[in-house]
Amino acid sequence: MKSAFLLSENHHVIQSYLNHKGGHFKVINRVGEQEYDILCRQINIEKTNYSFVSKSDLERGLRNDLWIGLVLFVDGQKPTKYLFPSTVWNEPNQLFTDSAVKNPEYGINLNQHTMQDFVSEHAFDKMIQQI
């Protein structure tokens, strides 16, 4: 995910995050000079159709400058990147869930009903234009 932002002409990964190994980094939009937090998650569709962000990981809550980068792994295919704002969880639905079964978390639930909309609406190349 970070490499996709490094290759973007309009975005810059903040220097202190270039060698950071975690799934969280910051980027600056070179055009509008706005700064965004990117929190990365992954789903290996052969093992699970769900990923989540623990609410305890979101110290500042859902906000316009926090985006989620999701890498989807499907056996035999090149990994696919997706991007969406954390604010999608302000209105939970079948795809973007708000749950407290074990621990309070925001979920991404990909299944036969949600996959097509997710893929078309949140493709990385489309969504990066919005930040």
Side-chain angles (χ1 to χ4, degrees):
M1 186 62 63
K2 192 182 301 182
S3 62
F5 279 99
L6 287 169
L7 295 173
S8 168
E9 292 180 12
N10 293 329
H11 298 85
H12 172 72
V13 176
I14 294 178
Q15 187 68 31
S16 62
Y17 286 87
L18 282 177
N19 296 320
H20 181 68
K21 303 292 186 209
H24 177 230
F25 58 95
K26 290 182 182 281
V27 298
I28 293 178
N29 179 307
R30 293 179 181 175
V31 178
E33 297 294 318
Q34 286 187 286
E35 190 174 300
Y36 295 90
D37 286 316
I38 309 297
L39 186 60
C40 300
R41 293 294 184 262
Q42 67 182 25
I43 293 178
N44 181 338
I45 208 71
E46 303 300 320
K47 296 179 182 177
T48 184
N49 64 342
Y50 182 79
S51 187
F52 68 92
V53 176
S54 173
K55 290 183 181 181
S56 64
D57 290 343
L58 303 178
E59 297 166 356
R60 295 174 37 209
L62 303 176
R63 55 190 206 279
N64 292 331
D65 65 344
L66 172 62
W67 285 61
I68 311 301
L70 179 73
V71 180
L72 183 62
F73 295 92
V74 178
D75 270 357
Q77 297 180 23
K78 184 179 173 182
T80 311
K81 293 178 282 302
Y82 299 93
L83 189 64
F84 57 91
S86 65
T87 54
V88 296
W89 285 302
N90 283 330
E91 296 179 21
N93 55 39
Q94 194 176 19
L95 172 59
F96 298 108
T97 62
D98 184 349
S99 174
V101 175
K102 292 182 183 177
N103 297 308
E105 65 189 32
Y106 295 111
I108 307 142
N109 184 32
L110 296 177
N111 60 43
Q112 64 183 7
H113 303 293
T114 62
M115 182 70 94
Q116 187 173 3
D117 288 341
F118 179 78
V119 168
S120 64
E121 293 177 21
H122 301 288
F124 182 85
D125 291 337
K126 175 183 174 182
M127 297 303 287
I128 195 173
Q129 304 301 318
Q130 295 185 27
I131 65 172

